[in-house]
Amino acid sequence: MTPRDATRVVLVVLGFVAVQQILVVDARIGSVHPDIMILLPIVAGIVGGPARGATMGFGSGLVADLFLPTPFGLSALVGTVIGFGVGVVTLALDRSALWLPPVAALAGSALYVGSYAVLGSVLGQPQMLHVDLLRILVMVSVTNAVLAIPALRLVNWALPAASVEGVPNSAVSW
Amino acid sequence: LSDQDDVQSLQQLSALLNLPFVGNLQTVPAEVIDYGTSDFAATIDISVGRNQGVQLNMPVVAAGGLVGQVVQANHSTLHRPPDHRRAVRRRRPLRAATGIAGRVARTGLGQAAVGRPGAGQHPLTPRRRVRHQRPAGRHLSPAGIPVAQVMVAKNGLTTSQESVTLQPVADLTHLRYVAVLLWGPSS
């Protein structure tokens, strides 16, 4: 990754965290708000594969944790696993398919929220399992599914192109 | 005062001047300046901290009773019971001149000492207030502070069949001002 790529990634992460903290936190429906930081490892996993998804999950998770009262590192841990998992699962899929980012964001976000609550409870925050988990899960997943395409384009701009050798693609090459 | 929010704020400030359950304990009034940023931990920021004598684990009360507990003394954060998180209306904080000076955290109702009434004691009936009692181990707050109100009480033949649904007494929906009790477990 060149300094230029790194700068772009930092800009995207800072942009996401700024939007999250300034706008999204106040966009509450039924007392819960979306979480667009979860989108970063998911779309990074689609764009760059498991390693870059995990790296993005770790980095953006640490940044997100700076603003959260939940255990520090929890978002990074879950983000790393989700980013890696999305990268692995989508390796065998056509990454250029338009349906993939929203579906991956929907499923990945749901998995993230569930894992986050369970791990948080294990790490001494039992109230994390006593919140309205279904409401949070639906809010975060649906919002991220809607925002998946724009987020994918931003991350695609930031991350260097990953090798697509052996990766299914709908584009016909000769 | 034309704004209803201002009227409510004034009422809450006035109520903090006379908290009957506090007794002789010294209190530090604080303004709620922001709510938390996570769906998984209901928190609020308040405007006082170590400079005002606030320390970790100090109880925080409002007009109705116990609201929370201090968890960090340089950035005030208050954990509220999950059931009430949905009722809290977000409101742009009126930044106090002192700014954020400390952190506070709330203990859940699950940690409150709610004992099963024994012989000769009043049963837990709806609308009855539950007060914090001194548990055998950790003291979370001074005894006698209202913690919750019984909403539903189900009796059964055995203890395992009995259940009580509690609702915190503190009016978290329109929480503008709170008071930190300068009290520690060893007090």
Short mmCIF file of all heavy atoms in Angstrom, two decimals, chain A residues 44-80:
data_model
loop_
_atom_site.label_atom_id
_atom_site.label_comp_id
_atom_site.label_asym_id
_atom_site.label_seq_id
_atom_site.Cartn_x
_atom_site.Cartn_y
_atom_site.Cartn_z
N ALA A 44 -14.85 -3.43 2.59
CA ALA A 44 -13.42 -3.67 2.35
C ALA A 44 -13.17 -5.14 2.08
O ALA A 44 -12.29 -5.50 1.28
CB ALA A 44 -12.61 -3.21 3.56
N GLY A 45 -13.92 -6.01 2.74
CA GLY A 45 -13.80 -7.45 2.47
C GLY A 45 -14.22 -7.79 1.06
O GLY A 45 -13.63 -8.66 0.42
N ILE A 46 -15.25 -7.09 0.58
CA ILE A 46 -15.69 -7.33 -0.80
C ILE A 46 -14.66 -6.80 -1.79
O ILE A 46 -14.30 -7.45 -2.76
CB ILE A 46 -17.07 -6.65 -1.04
CG1 ILE A 46 -18.13 -7.26 -0.12
CG2 ILE A 46 -17.48 -6.79 -2.50
CD1 ILE A 46 -19.46 -6.55 -0.17
N VAL A 47 -14.18 -5.60 -1.53
CA VAL A 47 -13.26 -4.95 -2.48
C VAL A 47 -11.88 -5.59 -2.47
O VAL A 47 -11.29 -5.86 -3.51
CB VAL A 47 -13.14 -3.44 -2.14
CG1 VAL A 47 -12.02 -2.79 -2.94
CG2 VAL A 47 -14.46 -2.74 -2.41
N GLY A 48 -11.37 -5.81 -1.26
CA GLY A 48 -9.96 -6.20 -1.16
C GLY A 48 -9.70 -7.62 -0.68
O GLY A 48 -8.54 -8.01 -0.56
N GLY A 49 -10.74 -8.35 -0.34
CA GLY A 49 -10.53 -9.71 0.12
C GLY A 49 -10.39 -9.81 1.63
O GLY A 49 -10.51 -8.81 2.36
N PRO A 50 -10.12 -11.02 2.12
CA PRO A 50 -10.11 -11.26 3.57
C PRO A 50 -9.09 -10.41 4.34
O PRO A 50 -9.42 -9.84 5.39
CB PRO A 50 -9.77 -12.75 3.68
CG PRO A 50 -10.07 -13.33 2.37
CD PRO A 50 -9.89 -12.25 1.36
N ALA A 51 -7.87 -10.31 3.82
CA ALA A 51 -6.83 -9.60 4.57
C ALA A 51 -7.16 -8.12 4.72
O ALA A 51 -7.05 -7.54 5.81
CB ALA A 51 -5.48 -9.78 3.87
N ARG A 52 -7.57 -7.53 3.62
CA ARG A 52 -7.88 -6.09 3.69
C ARG A 52 -9.18 -5.85 4.46
O ARG A 52 -9.33 -4.81 5.12
CB ARG A 52 -7.97 -5.50 2.29
CG ARG A 52 -6.58 -5.38 1.69
CD ARG A 52 -6.58 -4.90 0.28
NE ARG A 52 -5.21 -4.85 -0.22
CZ ARG A 52 -4.87 -4.83 -1.49
NH1 ARG A 52 -5.81 -4.87 -2.41
NH2 ARG A 52 -3.62 -4.77 -1.85
N GLY A 53 -10.10 -6.77 4.36
CA GLY A 53 -11.31 -6.64 5.16
C GLY A 53 -11.00 -6.68 6.65
O GLY A 53 -11.52 -5.88 7.44
N ALA A 54 -10.13 -7.62 7.03
CA ALA A 54 -9.75 -7.73 8.44
C ALA A 54 -8.97 -6.50 8.90
O ALA A 54 -9.20 -5.98 10.00
CB ALA A 54 -8.91 -9.00 8.64
N THR A 55 -8.07 -6.03 8.06
CA THR A 55 -7.27 -4.84 8.42
C THR A 55 -8.17 -3.62 8.59
O THR A 55 -8.03 -2.86 9.56
CB THR A 55 -6.21 -4.57 7.33
OG1 THR A 55 -5.45 -5.75 7.12
CG2 THR A 55 -5.30 -3.44 7.76
N MET A 56 -9.07 -3.46 7.65
CA MET A 56 -10.00 -2.33 7.75
C MET A 56 -10.88 -2.47 8.99
O MET A 56 -11.16 -1.49 9.68
CB MET A 56 -10.86 -2.25 6.48
CG MET A 56 -11.89 -1.15 6.51
SD MET A 56 -11.17 0.50 6.47
CE MET A 56 -11.05 0.77 4.70
N GLY A 57 -11.32 -3.68 9.27
CA GLY A 57 -12.15 -3.91 10.45
C GLY A 57 -11.43 -3.56 11.73
O GLY A 57 -12.00 -2.94 12.63
N PHE A 58 -10.16 -3.93 11.79
CA PHE A 58 -9.38 -3.63 12.98
C PHE A 58 -9.16 -2.12 13.14
O PHE A 58 -9.39 -1.55 14.20
CB PHE A 58 -8.03 -4.35 12.92
CG PHE A 58 -7.20 -4.17 14.15
CD1 PHE A 58 -7.49 -4.88 15.30
CD2 PHE A 58 -6.13 -3.30 14.17
CE1 PHE A 58 -6.74 -4.71 16.46
CE2 PHE A 58 -5.37 -3.11 15.30
CZ PHE A 58 -5.67 -3.83 16.45
N GLY A 59 -8.73 -1.50 12.05
CA GLY A 59 -8.42 -0.07 12.12
C GLY A 59 -9.65 0.79 12.37
O GLY A 59 -9.67 1.63 13.28
N SER A 60 -10.70 0.56 11.58
CA SER A 60 -11.91 1.38 11.75
C SER A 60 -12.59 1.06 13.08
O SER A 60 -13.20 1.94 13.70
CB SER A 60 -12.88 1.13 10.59
OG SER A 60 -13.33 -0.21 10.60
N GLY A 61 -12.44 -0.18 13.53
CA GLY A 61 -13.02 -0.55 14.84
C GLY A 61 -12.34 0.18 15.98
O GLY A 61 -13.00 0.64 16.91
N LEU A 62 -11.02 0.29 15.90
CA LEU A 62 -10.30 1.03 16.95
C LEU A 62 -10.72 2.49 16.97
O LEU A 62 -10.91 3.09 18.04
CB LEU A 62 -8.79 0.93 16.74
CG LEU A 62 -8.11 -0.36 17.16
CD1 LEU A 62 -6.60 -0.26 16.96
CD2 LEU A 62 -8.42 -0.70 18.62
N VAL A 63 -10.86 3.07 15.78
CA VAL A 63 -11.30 4.47 15.71
C VAL A 63 -12.71 4.61 16.29
O VAL A 63 -12.99 5.53 17.07
CB VAL A 63 -11.25 4.98 14.25
CG1 VAL A 63 -11.85 6.38 14.15
CG2 VAL A 63 -9.82 4.99 13.75
N ALA A 64 -13.59 3.69 15.91
CA ALA A 64 -14.96 3.75 16.43
C ALA A 64 -14.99 3.59 17.94
O ALA A 64 -15.77 4.25 18.63
CB ALA A 64 -15.81 2.65 15.77
N ASP A 65 -14.12 2.73 18.45
CA ASP A 65 -14.10 2.48 19.90
C ASP A 65 -13.70 3.71 20.71
O ASP A 65 -14.01 3.80 21.90
CB ASP A 65 -13.15 1.33 20.23
CG ASP A 65 -13.79 -0.02 20.00
OD1 ASP A 65 -15.03 -0.10 20.11
OD2 ASP A 65 -13.07 -0.99 19.72
N LEU A 66 -12.99 4.63 20.07
CA LEU A 66 -12.61 5.86 20.78
C LEU A 66 -13.83 6.65 21.23
O LEU A 66 -13.76 7.44 22.17
CB LEU A 66 -11.74 6.74 19.87
CG LEU A 66 -10.35 6.20 19.52
CD1 LEU A 66 -9.69 7.11 18.50
CD2 LEU A 66 -9.49 6.11 20.78
N PHE A 67 -14.95 6.44 20.55
CA PHE A 67 -16.14 7.24 20.83
C PHE A 67 -17.22 6.43 21.55
O PHE A 67 -18.31 6.94 21.76
CB PHE A 67 -16.72 7.79 19.52
CG PHE A 67 -15.75 8.69 18.79
CD1 PHE A 67 -14.86 8.16 17.87
CD2 PHE A 67 -15.72 10.05 19.04
CE1 PHE A 67 -13.97 8.98 17.19
CE2 PHE A 67 -14.83 10.87 18.38
CZ PHE A 67 -13.95 10.33 17.45
N LEU A 68 -16.93 5.21 21.88
CA LEU A 68 -17.97 4.35 22.47
C LEU A 68 -17.67 4.05 23.93
O LEU A 68 -16.51 3.89 24.31
CB LEU A 68 -18.06 3.03 21.68
CG LEU A 68 -18.52 3.14 20.23
CD1 LEU A 68 -18.42 1.79 19.53
CD2 LEU A 68 -19.94 3.67 20.16
N PRO A 69 -18.71 3.94 24.74
CA PRO A 69 -18.51 3.60 26.15
C PRO A 69 -18.36 2.10 26.38
O PRO A 69 -18.08 1.68 27.49
CB PRO A 69 -19.80 4.12 26.80
CG PRO A 69 -20.82 4.03 25.74
CD PRO A 69 -20.11 4.25 24.43
N THR A 70 -18.53 1.32 25.35
CA THR A 70 -18.39 -0.13 25.47
C THR A 70 -16.89 -0.48 25.52
O THR A 70 -16.05 0.36 25.25
CB THR A 70 -19.07 -0.82 24.27
OG1 THR A 70 -18.75 -0.09 23.09
CG2 THR A 70 -20.57 -0.82 24.44
N PRO A 71 -16.54 -1.72 25.89
CA PRO A 71 -15.13 -2.06 26.07
C PRO A 71 -14.27 -1.71 24.86
O PRO A 71 -14.63 -2.03 23.72
CB PRO A 71 -15.16 -3.58 26.30
CG PRO A 71 -16.49 -3.83 26.88
CD PRO A 71 -17.42 -2.85 26.23
N PHE A 72 -13.15 -1.06 25.13
CA PHE A 72 -12.28 -0.64 24.04
C PHE A 72 -11.68 -1.86 23.35
O PHE A 72 -11.17 -2.77 24.00
CB PHE A 72 -11.16 0.26 24.57
CG PHE A 72 -10.33 0.87 23.49
CD1 PHE A 72 -10.77 1.99 22.81
CD2 PHE A 72 -9.11 0.33 23.14
CE1 PHE A 72 -10.02 2.56 21.80
CE2 PHE A 72 -8.35 0.89 22.13
CZ PHE A 72 -8.80 2.01 21.46
N GLY A 73 -11.75 -1.88 22.05
CA GLY A 73 -11.22 -3.00 21.28
C GLY A 73 -12.29 -3.97 20.82
O GLY A 73 -12.03 -4.82 19.96
N LEU A 74 -13.48 -3.85 21.38
CA LEU A 74 -14.55 -4.78 21.02
C LEU A 74 -14.97 -4.59 19.56
O LEU A 74 -15.12 -5.57 18.82
CB LEU A 74 -15.75 -4.59 21.96
CG LEU A 74 -16.91 -5.55 21.78
CD1 LEU A 74 -16.46 -7.00 21.92
CD2 LEU A 74 -18.01 -5.25 22.79
N SER A 75 -15.13 -3.36 19.15
CA SER A 75 -15.50 -3.11 17.75
C SER A 75 -14.39 -3.57 16.81
O SER A 75 -14.65 -4.11 15.74
CB SER A 75 -15.74 -1.61 17.53
OG SER A 75 -16.77 -1.15 18.35
N ALA A 76 -13.14 -3.36 17.23
CA ALA A 76 -12.01 -3.79 16.40
C ALA A 76 -11.98 -5.30 16.25
O ALA A 76 -11.75 -5.83 15.17
CB ALA A 76 -10.71 -3.29 17.02
N LEU A 77 -12.24 -5.99 17.36
CA LEU A 77 -12.23 -7.45 17.33
C LEU A 77 -13.33 -7.99 16.41
O LEU A 77 -13.06 -8.80 15.51
CB LEU A 77 -12.42 -8.00 18.75
CG LEU A 77 -12.59 -9.51 18.88
CD1 LEU A 77 -11.36 -10.24 18.39
CD2 LEU A 77 -12.89 -9.90 20.32
N VAL A 78 -14.53 -7.51 16.62
CA VAL A 78 -15.65 -8.00 15.81
C VAL A 78 -15.48 -7.56 14.35
O VAL A 78 -15.73 -8.34 13.43
CB VAL A 78 -16.99 -7.49 16.38
CG1 VAL A 78 -18.15 -7.99 15.53
CG2 VAL A 78 -17.17 -7.96 17.82
N GLY A 79 -15.02 -6.33 14.15
CA GLY A 79 -14.81 -5.85 12.79
C GLY A 79 -13.78 -6.65 12.04
O GLY A 79 -13.92 -6.92 10.84
N THR A 80 -12.73 -7.05 12.74
CA THR A 80 -11.69 -7.86 12.10
C THR A 80 -12.26 -9.19 11.61
O THR A 80 -12.03 -9.61 10.47
CB THR A 80 -10.55 -8.12 13.11
OG1 THR A 80 -10.02 -6.87 13.55
CG2 THR A 80 -9.44 -8.93 12.47
#
